[in-house]
Amino acid sequence: MGKAIAIDGPAGAGKSTIAKMVAKELGFIYVDTGAMYRAMALFMIKKGIKAEESDKISKTCVEADITIKHENGEQVVYLNGENVNGLIRTEEVGNMASASSVNGDVRKKLVELQQKLASETDVVMDGRDIGTVVLPNAELKVYLTASSKVRADRRYKELTAKGIDCDIDTIEKDIIDRDYRDMHREISPLKQADDAVLVDSSDMTINEVAEKIIQLFRK
């Protein structure tokens, strides 16, 4: 059995960046659950299944074997034995992933695959329902959050640095709306696990948050 750290929290809290830092420091594998959903979406596209064909998605998802390995310092996503790193970041795959990820059978299948990964190696996994559903027995569970204002400011700076014109008030409203949807969705809503440690990163740097999580794990 591997050791596991589960990091949950709302969009824009810095979960992925911090999870990668923690995994690197501890020598664990960072499991990018979003990449796994994209690999499943690619599988559906290869099978010629459309986003609205939920029954076909449900029936076909059981045929997909998706895993993540780290090779030469790089995360590699495998779909039925094929390295699909170069295929899962397209807009077509992203759109299919958005549609198929709400399918209960897809989520069930991917949770099984994520649990299998965690049983075989030491992992850091982030998402919305890792501590509550995917890894309920994780050695450490963290609920990472920050105020909507801070998360909006981070997103605003990220977009403007790329030369994208945006409005910070609109960004904050979108974040608040997404929080509500994530917390009230029917399947695996976002919530803090009873035994999770709450970490508010509003007044912390990314390095400070990562170090705090590492210290909590090593206690």
Side-chain angles (χ1 to χ4, degrees):
M1 286 291 290
K3 299 183 183 72
I5 298 175
I7 303 177
D8 290 309
K15 297 186 299 295
S16 298
T17 301
I18 288 160
K20 288 173 188 172
M21 292 171 71
V22 171
K24 184 176 181 181
E25 177 65 25
L26 295 174
F28 286 19
I29 283 184
Y30 165 62
V31 178
D32 184 346
T33 56
M36 295 182 78
Y37 279 98
R38 282 177 169 269
M40 180 65 82
L42 176 65
F43 182 68
M44 297 300 162
I45 291 168
K46 285 182 173 231
K47 290 283 185 178
I49 296 171
K50 296 182 172 61
E52 62 272 16
E53 295 178 310
S54 57
D55 287 345
K56 286 186 179 179
I57 290 173
S58 292
K59 289 175 185 174
T60 309
C61 67
V62 296
E63 300 171 17
D65 181 46
I66 299 161
T67 193
I68 290 178
K69 296 179 182 178
H70 275 238
E71 300 173 359
N72 302 318
E74 179 190 25
Q75 173 184 280
V76 181
V77 183
Y78 283 96
L79 169 61
N80 292 339
E82 178 190 359
N83 178 342
V84 293
N85 269 21
L87 304 174
I88 61 173
R89 298 298 172 185
T90 67
E91 188 173 352
E92 181 187 15
V93 169
N95 290 336
M96 175 58 96
S98 180
S100 59
S101 65
V102 299
N103 182 293
D105 293 302
V106 167
R107 296 193 75 85
K108 182 184 176 195
K109 174 64 176 177
L110 283 171
V111 166
E112 289 172 0
L113 291 170
Q114 289 155 9
Q115 290 172 337
K116 182 171 180 281
L117 264 173
S119 73
E120 296 170 344
T121 188
D122 299 333
V123 300
V124 180
M125 208 177 289
D126 72 282
R128 304 285 191 279
D129 61 350
I130 308 302
T132 54
V133 176
V134 182
L135 301 176
N137 298 315
E139 278 76 7
L140 174 64
K141 299 178 190 176
V142 173
Y143 189 83
L144 179 64
T145 190
S147 70
S148 60
K149 183 176 177 57
V150 167
R151 286 183 283 144
D153 185 59
R154 290 172 182 168
R155 183 64 174 155
Y156 176 80
K157 288 175 180 173
E158 180 184 327
L159 291 171
T160 52
K162 294 177 180 176
I164 299 170
D165 188 34
C166 53
D167 175 68
I168 193 166
D169 293 330
T170 302
I171 293 171
E172 184 174 12
K173 182 182 181 303
D174 289 344
I175 284 172
I176 292 169
D177 289 346
R178 182 168 180 180
D179 286 352
Y180 183 87
R181 289 195 303 273
D182 286 345
M183 290 174 181
H184 292 84
R185 70 188 185 192
E186 187 176 346
I187 301 172
S188 301
L190 168 66
K191 62 180 179 179
Q192 181 178 341
D194 293 338
D195 53 348
V197 178
L198 176 65
V199 177
D200 189 324
S201 68
S202 298
D203 299 314
M204 300 171 72
T205 66
I206 287 173
N207 287 336
E208 287 171 342
V209 176
E211 185 56 39
K212 181 178 178 68
I213 292 172
I214 290 165
Q215 287 175 357
L216 286 167
F217 179 75
R218 286 175 169 163
K219 271 187 179 178

